Amino acid sequence: MKKVVSAAALAIFCAATAFAADTMVFENKNGNVTFPHKKHQEMLKNCKLCHEKGPGKIEGFGKDFAHTTCKGCHESKKAGPTKCGECHKK
């Protein structure tokens, strides 16, 4: 029974990631932020780094989350944009 449940969970996870947007654009007064979602999926290979509760919309996503989680990850990995104008494009 555990194998069936594990296989079902894996199938749901794979289906969810298959339908995720390749690129997302977040509108912002300081300039829109384009987020290459598929690129992050391929690099990180662990959705829970951003999606604590599993695939889908991130609960509480907004400025504070992005600046703490996204920018923080870029700083710790020494990869990706960390300055305002590198994410926010007018």
Side-chain angles (χ1 to χ4, degrees), residues 38-56:
K38 185 174 183 175
K39 180 180 176 182
H40 281 78
Q41 281 180 303
E42 292 167 354
M43 276 190 305
L44 299 174
K45 299 186 186 342
N46 181 357
C47 297
K48 291 202 173 209
L49 292 173
C50 302
H51 299 269
E52 290 180 355
K53 295 184 179 181

Side-chain angles (χ1 to χ4, degrees), residues 25-34 87-90:
V25 177
F26 300 99
E27 292 184 11
N28 186 279
K29 67 180 181 179
N30 295 320
N32 293 349
V33 176
T34 300
C87 289
H88 296 272
K89 307 285 184 182
K90 288 193 179 205

Side-chain angles (χ1 to χ4, degrees), residues 48-67:
K48 291 202 173 209
L49 292 173
C50 302
H51 299 269
E52 290 180 355
K53 295 184 179 181
K57 186 175 179 179
I58 297 173
E59 187 176 313
F61 181 83
K63 175 186 174 183
D64 292 337
F65 179 91
H67 287 168

Side-chain angles (χ1 to χ4, degrees), residues 2-3 16 24-25 30 44 54 67 72 75 77 81:
K2 285 183 181 180
K3 287 183 180 181
M24 304 163 92
V25 177
N30 295 320
L44 299 174
H67 287 168
E75 289 172 340
K77 293 187 178 292

